[in-house]
Amino acid sequence: MRISGGKARGVALSVSKSSVHRPATDRLRQGIFSSLGKRIEYIDICDLFAGTGSYGLEALSRGAASATFVEMNRRACEMIRRNIAIISKSMGVDRLNATVLAKDAMKLYSFSSEPFDLIFADPPYECLDSIGMDLFRVADRNLKVDGLFILEAPGNYEYDAQGWTLSKRIGKGTDQPTALFYERK
């Protein structure tokens, strides 16, 4: 798994299969970030169910101001910290504005004192149906009014969240991961 764009383009991330069940695919990440374009620059993002941290690290490489990684698996958190160091070194900076929270994304009321411009969520697919409503509540609490919530899910998944509009879908096929872009109505 590699960073696909920005200052750390091509840098390989540390991935432990015992800590992460299903890392985001390079192809889907490329599609998401191509779609976002310059919108990613100078914004604050949150990477929920962060796993390897690939969404947040990609955002930092492409110019995001800060990234908060929320991951409950402590070994995955250590891997994210290693990946932050790898990306920081590749970008030629002493330290990235990155925070790793070893917490359950569904049990935190708020992740930051300020809301985020963009939230990525890549929850375990098998629990999407049971956490859907709560996941959008978490996004609602932690996202700026004009913010964007991007949910990675199976290709056939769509959630009709009250107060939210599905504005874009990236990815094709029911057996492939897809990215759902949600905005508030």
Side-chain angles (χ1 to χ4, degrees), residues 100-114:
V100 179
L101 300 176
K103 305 276 185 186
D104 183 343
M106 301 308 296
K107 293 192 176 162
L108 285 179
Y109 178 75
S110 182
F111 308 120
S112 173
S113 59
E114 294 295 319

Side-chain angles (χ1 to χ4, degrees), residues 79-95:
M79 182 177 44
I80 293 167
R81 287 183 185 97
R82 282 193 304 273
N83 284 330
I84 290 169
I86 290 167
I87 297 304
S88 178
K89 183 177 179 183
S90 171
M91 291 174 64
V93 296
D94 291 332
R95 188 178 170 297

Side-chain angles (χ1 to χ4, degrees), residues 5 7 14 18 24 35 45 73 75 90 97 116 119-120 130 143-144 152 154 161 163:
K7 290 182 178 178
S14 172
S18 65
S35 179
I45 70 103
N73 182 308
R75 288 193 321 229
S90 171
N97 190 358
F116 298 100
I119 295 176
F120 295 101
S130 65
L143 195 63
K144 289 182 179 174
E152 183 178 322

Side-chain angles (χ1 to χ4, degrees), residues 107-159:
K107 293 192 176 162
L108 285 179
Y109 178 75
S110 182
F111 308 120
S112 173
S113 59
E114 294 295 319
F116 298 100
D117 299 287
L118 173 63
I119 295 176
F120 295 101
D122 185 8
Y125 290 175
E126 63 275 5
C127 72
L128 271 170
D129 289 331
S130 65
I131 67 168
M133 186 186 317
D134 290 334
L135 187 57
F136 278 87
R137 283 186 188 135
V138 167
D140 196 44
R141 282 186 224 123
N142 290 282
L143 195 63
K144 289 182 179 174
V145 173
D146 61 345
L148 181 63
F149 178 49
I150 301 176
L151 174 62
E152 183 178 322
N156 60 348
Y157 185 82
E158 191 170 315
Y159 190 80

